[in-house]
Amino acid sequence: MNPLHQVLQHWFNVLCIHRIERIEGGLSGADVYRVTTFTGESYALKRFPLGVTQDQIAEIHRVMNSTRDAGCHIVPEPKTLLASQKTQCSQKKQSELVTQRSVLIFKSRVWELVQWVPGTPASDLVDMQGADRSLELVRLGAQAIAKFHRASLPMGTSNEVPPCVVARRQRLEELNTLVGRLGAAESGHLTSFRLREVLAQVVDRIDKQWRHRYSVDFRELIEFEKWPTKSQFVLRDVHNGHILFRADSGSGHELVVSGIIDFDAVRYDSPATDLSRWVLSFASECTCDHKLWLSALAGYRLELAFNEQQEVLARRLASISAWINLTNWGVWLLLERKRFACAETAIADRIERLLKAVDCFDRLSFDTGPTK
């Protein structure tokens, strides 16, 4: 039997399968397939990279199912394993069976099958229709993020130092010990001339601006760590490739959100981290930074409150994250020589967008400090 059929038989009769298509993945190392049945149903089958555990994905599925139960149907539904698969875990507690019913371990790898989300990612719509469409997409996507946040509220909230702040402060400290070596690093192991040229721009930018940016950003993060704020289950990796859109069937030309994809990073954190990630993914496309933030905040506040403290945190996280992400690529490719599943040209595209994003947020003017 085909290995993919061996996996899929734990969810449904493989005789129902009409087609299996491999989908080009991102940088996570996961393998993704679109599975279509003869009855027209479509699913996303994912094999997670080594190191991802069953418990991690079971917790994510718990959040997905809970938000769907709360009425947020832009979250895709994980498909339940067949009863025969559940009985293989009969020695486990019933509560564990319920939690893990949609997660499969096959040949030491974790697999999931979730409802396929139709639609076009915002990143493609911007490319096709121009930068002016970005503001509409930002607003609609921010509203969708708020719908998810509202639906996850029943799972609990707390007032604490956001993990996103601590993680960024720690990463800044790590990078600060490494950036001094970037100037002497060789790029000859990279086959793409364009990627080597883009990395040279990154190294030059870091050489000229890192000391100042590190001082400012590190000091702000230390201040944010003194400032507890609301935390709850959030997406943490929601960018312009992870919210999909379709034409509104009523108007024919207006766009609506058809769904959110890729919940692998779902954790307990500040809602500000989602809005900052969403806005950051548009920063290289928009011509008006002020309108970009206004659109995001207006869309979010249609569904859920977002106070001044959260807004300041979101804005600063976007700017700080742009610099961290840019420096990460220099360290990963030049010092650590990491390899990624995607083509070097795709990496060069991503780094060029980050360079533009850094410039975008450097132009923003607002009170950057935490407010009491």
Side-chain angles (χ1 to χ4, degrees):
M1 183 184 291
N2 180 305
L4 292 179
H5 284 77
Q6 286 182 275
V7 171
L8 288 166
Q9 70 179 341
H10 294 289
W11 278 285
F12 46 62
N13 186 338
V14 294
L15 295 178
C16 298
I17 298 172
H18 173 55
R19 184 168 62 250
I20 301 175
E21 308 163 79
R22 186 181 179 92
I23 305 300
E24 183 178 351
L27 299 172
S28 69
D31 298 314
V32 182
Y33 304 86
R34 180 175 182 175
V35 180
T36 306
T37 68
F38 281 105
T39 56
E41 297 173 318
S42 290
Y43 302 92
L45 175 68
K46 178 182 287 188
R47 183 179 75 160
F48 291 91
L50 287 170
V52 175
T53 69
Q54 183 180 29
D55 287 343
Q56 287 175 312
I57 306 307
E59 175 70 357
I60 290 169
H61 285 189
R62 183 176 76 89
V63 176
M64 294 171 70
N65 285 322
S66 179
T67 52
R68 284 184 58 83
D69 290 344
C72 189
H73 292 150
I74 54 175
V75 174
E77 182 179 12
K79 186 166 176 61
T80 302
L81 291 162
L82 295 174
S84 59
Q85 175 62 23
K86 295 182 188 179
T87 59
Q88 294 178 17
C89 305
S90 57
Q91 294 181 353
K92 295 187 176 183
K93 294 182 295 183
Q94 184 64 28
S95 61
E96 293 177 324
L97 280 177
V98 172
T99 300
Q100 299 180 357
R101 69 183 184 274
S102 53
V103 184
L104 175 70
I105 299 290
F106 182 78
K107 294 187 177 179
S108 302
R109 299 287 282 273
V110 177
W111 296 73
E112 71 170 11
L113 189 72
V114 304
Q115 170 190 1
W116 182 264
V117 179
T120 304
S123 53
D124 289 353
L125 289 170
V126 170
D127 290 342
M128 291 186 295
Q129 301 182 34
D132 289 342
R133 198 65 184 267
S134 296
L135 297 179
E136 179 187 359
L137 297 172
V138 168
R139 177 181 59 80
L140 291 170
Q143 185 177 1
I145 291 167
K147 287 180 179 178
F148 174 84
H149 288 173
R150 186 178 62 189
S152 72
L153 285 174
M155 302 187 72
T157 64
S158 64
N159 201 48
E160 61 184 52
V161 176
C164 57
V165 171
V166 177
R168 282 162 179 77
R169 191 259 302 161
Q170 291 174 342
R171 185 55 178 164
L172 269 180
E173 289 182 292
E174 293 169 353
L175 291 172
N176 195 47
T177 67
L178 299 171
V179 292
R181 296 162 47 198
L182 284 174
E186 297 291 335
S187 61
H189 61 287
L190 300 169
T191 58
S192 168
F193 174 78
R194 177 165 160 251
L195 179 56
R196 294 198 300 270
E197 287 291 296
V198 171
L199 282 172
Q201 295 177 46
V202 171
V203 172
D204 180 66
R205 182 75 62 91
I206 291 171
D207 181 60
K208 292 177 178 176
Q209 300 182 32
W210 175 263
R211 182 175 297 181
H212 171 70
R213 287 307 308 245
Y214 173 76
S215 175
V216 172
D217 293 348
F218 185 80
R219 185 170 61 250
E220 287 188 341
L221 290 170
I222 290 293
E223 288 301 312
F224 281 127
E225 287 188 22
K226 301 174 185 177
W227 173 31
T229 188
K230 184 180 79 170
S231 290
Q232 62 179 92
F233 278 106
V234 298
L235 298 161
R236 291 176 67 250
D237 189 28
V238 56
H239 53 71
N240 61 11
H242 284 171
I243 295 185
L244 307 186
F245 295 81
R246 60 172 174 80
D248 184 0
S249 57
S251 67
H253 64 275
E254 296 295 330
L255 290 172
V256 294
V257 171
S258 57
I260 302 173
I261 61 172
D262 201 334
F263 289 74
D264 300 355
V266 164
R267 299 289 187 281
Y268 209 74
D269 212 326
S270 168
T273 194
D274 279 354
L275 205 60
S276 72
R277 183 72 177 92
W278 178 243
V279 170
L280 174 57
S281 68
F282 286 87
S284 64
E285 308 293 340
C286 286
T287 58
C288 180
D289 311 320
H290 182 60
K291 289 182 179 179
L292 179 66
W293 279 109
L294 286 181
S295 296
L297 293 166
Y300 192 97
R301 287 169 174 156
L302 286 173
E303 299 290 334
L304 201 60
F306 200 75
N307 64 32
E308 183 184 357
Q309 290 184 336
Q310 291 172 312
E311 179 182 343
V312 171
L313 178 58
R315 286 174 178 265
R316 294 307 300 137
L317 286 176
S319 177
I320 292 168
S321 297
W323 263 99
I324 289 177
N325 294 345
L326 188 69
T327 310
N328 275 340
W329 279 111
V331 169
W332 290 337
L333 295 173
L334 297 177
L335 298 184
E336 299 175 358
R337 298 198 173 194
K338 283 188 176 181
R339 295 183 178 274
F340 296 89
C342 61
E344 289 186 356
T345 52
I347 296 174
D349 288 341
R350 179 168 294 201
I351 295 174
E352 285 185 335
R353 289 194 295 270
L354 276 171
L355 284 165
K356 293 178 181 178
V358 165
D359 290 338
C360 169
F361 290 122
D362 279 351
R363 290 195 303 270
L364 287 173
S365 60
F366 50 81
D367 181 10
T368 59
T371 58
K372 300 298 183 184

